[in-house]
Amino acid sequence: MAEHGALLLLLLMALAMTMAPPSAAFLVQPQPNLLTYHNGAVLSGDIPVSILWYGRFTPAQKAVVSDFLLSLSAPPRGAPSSSPSPSVAQWWSSINRLYLSKAAAVSKNGANGAGARNARVVLAGQVSDEACSLGKNLKMSQLPALAAAARPAKAGGIALVLTAQDVAVEGFCMSRCGHHGSYGGGSRAAYAWVGNPADQCPGQCAWPFHQPAYGPQAPPLVPPSGDAGMDGAVISVASMVAGAVTNPLGDGFYQGDRAAPLEAATACAGVYASGAYPGYAGQLLVDAATGASYNAHGARGRKYLLPALYDPGTGECATLV
């Protein structure tokens, strides 16, 4: 869905920066036209996320993603925060504030978003297909079957498929770093897929933790986990989960062509902090001990780099730092 527009946006930004004069420094702006609510479905309440690890992932690699998902949920009201500010939970709260609250307001007038309320991501389970039962060269049409194999807990959840660095998926690197959609019959369920780009396209899908494939060749940033591929994958997971919640069936929040939309995170591709411009991720926080760049604290002392979220009210990309 949104991955086509997001990767094209990154390529256009890189080309623009390459053609700009040396003195040019400009902020990344979202694409024209408004990202609006199309009165369709959104996910809300407790959202169980079930993971299918397709191919070989080390326990450390799995922990990078599972800890991120655990980080999305804020502690109960009145309980002390488990993560310093800015946090992954604060980033997720922007989804509730900028999107789901608007869907809830519209639902009062009888639109399809009826019942929309804050979304709380819950890690429901994890299964592995290390033997790659469908092979290592996948078509997009095979992703729904893999999503079903993730054993999603119930309707209203998300099946998350992660493919290993040696698994090729149709369009991966060329037009997408991830994808989200829906599958099933009358009661359709949401799923998301993200690939580990470490071997196939780190310059496209793990930037800024790898030198970009196009445009200015600034030195790569140090990844918080020490694994550029998995930290790049987390950026895509964050973008796809945000899209799956705010636009699960293609009629929720999006901008542009429904077949290749820009969504909550992908409308701000390449923006991670204030001052960002093409080829520069922005004024990020830096870990004094490791030199890693990040913009959010997560569970178990982790640090993450998360994409900016488009603010439909201001038309700007909202960042944590």
Side-chain angles (χ1 to χ4, degrees):
M1 295 176 71
E3 68 282 348
H4 297 285
L7 201 50
L8 177 60
L9 177 57
L10 281 172
L11 294 177
L12 289 174
M13 291 191 305
L15 179 61
M17 189 63 180
T18 303
M19 297 173 65
S23 60
F26 48 91
L27 296 179
V28 175
Q29 296 294 332
Q31 291 292 286
N33 304 320
L34 296 177
L35 192 158
T36 57
Y37 183 40
H38 294 77
N39 297 333
V42 296
L43 301 183
S44 60
D46 284 354
I47 301 175
V49 176
S50 303
I51 303 176
L52 172 66
W53 301 98
Y54 191 82
R56 186 179 180 278
F57 289 87
T58 67
Q61 288 177 321
K62 291 180 178 181
V64 172
V65 175
S66 60
D67 283 351
F68 166 70
L69 294 173
L70 290 171
S71 303
L72 289 170
S73 297
R77 183 172 296 179
S81 175
S82 57
S83 302
S85 180
S87 68
V88 174
Q90 287 174 320
W91 179 83
W92 186 253
S93 71
S94 295
I95 293 291
N96 293 321
R97 176 174 55 85
L98 299 176
Y99 291 90
L100 300 186
S101 64
K102 291 178 172 57
V106 171
S107 73
K108 294 179 181 178
N109 296 321
N112 291 333
R117 58 195 188 279
N118 285 356
R120 179 175 176 267
V121 173
V122 179
L123 182 56
Q126 304 180 55
V127 295
S128 296
D129 185 353
E130 198 165 310
C132 296
S133 59
L134 298 184
K136 291 189 174 184
N137 194 346
L138 301 174
K139 299 292 186 182
M140 291 295 291
S141 59
Q142 294 175 294
L143 293 180
L146 292 180
R151 302 171 192 166
K154 62 177 182 178
I158 300 172
L160 176 60
V161 178
L162 278 298
T163 49
Q165 60 196 60
D166 61 344
V167 175
V169 178
E170 179 184 4
F172 184 44
C173 301
M174 292 179 287
S175 61
R176 58 178 66 94
C177 299
H179 171 81
H180 79 83
S182 60
Y183 68 99
S187 178
R188 302 192 65 78
Y191 77 89
W193 155 75
V194 169
N196 180 352
D199 289 345
Q200 299 179 55
C201 56
Q204 284 129 312
C205 298
W207 184 85
F209 300 123
H210 190 280
Q211 283 190 303
Y214 309 96
Q217 296 297 301
L221 303 180
V222 177
S225 74
D227 186 326
M230 291 310 297
D231 281 318
V234 164
I235 295 172
S236 296
V237 168
S239 298
M240 293 302 105
V241 170
V245 167
T246 59
N247 190 31
L249 305 182
D251 56 5
F253 287 91
Y254 68 89
Q255 169 186 336
D257 185 354
R258 176 172 174 166
L262 293 175
E263 298 172 332
T266 55
C268 292
V271 181
Y272 299 98
S274 60
Y277 55 83
Y280 175 59
Q283 299 169 15
L284 297 170
L285 303 175
V286 178
D287 187 302
T290 65
S293 295
Y294 67 101
N295 60 9
H297 295 270
R300 309 183 203 277
R302 288 196 181 274
K303 297 176 175 65
Y304 291 102
L305 184 64
L306 304 179
L309 294 172
Y310 180 84
D311 184 340
T314 65
E316 297 179 351
C317 295
T319 61
L320 286 171
V321 296

